[in-house]
């Protein structure tokens, strides 16, 4: 079973930046698609960003242009660089693997943020104050 460990959560001011990391161990094919999800206070969980092993990334509309997802396949590490943070970004952020993949016309794959991941990390808290 895949084990995921997130780090990097913190409290920042609005407009600030933060980087989250996730290290996956015992990765198998389930790590083909990895992603970040979040759940804010009183909100439903939502997909933030996903990435396949070929680097194809997908973002929620709410974070496009502000967040960047990346991965190091050799070290099974996933990162999320967040800039221009807003109070509405306040949430527990979760690393996840096993998202549903879809093949593109060019042979690459994108990973759905609408699918249910197979494994989750424990989460790391991000708090943005105005």
């Amino acid at each position: 079973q895949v084990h995921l460990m997130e780090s990097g959560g913190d409290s920042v001011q609005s407009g600030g930046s933060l980087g989250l990391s996730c290290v996956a161990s015992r990765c198998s094919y389930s790590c083909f698609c990895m992603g970040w999800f979040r759940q804010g206070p009183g909100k439903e969980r939502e997909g933030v960003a996903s990435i396949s092993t070929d680097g194809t990334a997908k973002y929620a509309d709410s974070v496009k242009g502000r967040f960047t997802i990346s991965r190091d396949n050799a070290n099974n590490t996933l990162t999320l660089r967040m800039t221009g943070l807003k109070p509405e970004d306040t949430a527990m952020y979760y690393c996840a693997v096993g998202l549903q993949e879809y093949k593109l016309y060019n042979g690459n794959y994108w990973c759905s943020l609408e699918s249910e991941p197979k494994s989750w990390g424990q989460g790391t808290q991000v708090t943005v104050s105005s």
Side-chain angles (χ1 to χ4, degrees):
Q1 180 150 349
V2 179
H3 181 257
L4 304 170
M5 178 65 72
E6 304 98 332
S7 63
D10 205 346
S11 296
V12 297
Q13 295 283 332
S14 181
S17 300
L18 204 57
L20 305 182
S21 294
C22 172
V23 178
S25 58
R26 295 192 293 274
C27 252
S28 60
Y29 184 79
S30 60
C31 288
F32 182 88
C33 275
M34 303 182 75
W36 290 96
F37 291 73
R38 68 185 181 186
Q39 186 164 18
K43 297 180 180 179
E44 293 188 357
R45 188 185 69 206
E46 64 172 338
V48 175
S50 66
I51 188 168
S52 64
T53 53
D54 62 43
T56 302
K58 184 173 177 63
Y59 297 91
D61 288 342
S62 59
V63 306
K64 280 181 182 176
R66 299 189 298 122
F67 290 12
T68 302
I69 189 172
S70 61
R71 64 186 291 171
D72 179 345
N73 292 328
N75 294 303
N76 291 321
T77 301
L78 182 71
T79 61
L80 185 69
R81 180 64 180 168
M82 304 183 292
T83 62
L85 283 162
K86 305 173 182 179
E88 50 264 43
D89 293 318
T90 295
M92 184 71 80
Y93 283 72
Y94 299 91
C95 174
V97 301
L99 286 65
Q100 180 65 50
E101 76 271 12
Y102 294 93
K103 192 171 184 178
L104 294 168
Y105 68 94
N106 62 0
N108 288 349
Y109 289 82
W110 65 276
C111 307
S112 174
L113 290 170
E114 305 301 323
S115 60
E116 181 66 24
K118 291 184 171 59
S119 298
W120 296 90
Q122 293 298 310
T124 186
Q125 179 67 38
V126 173
T127 302
V128 185
S129 56
S130 56

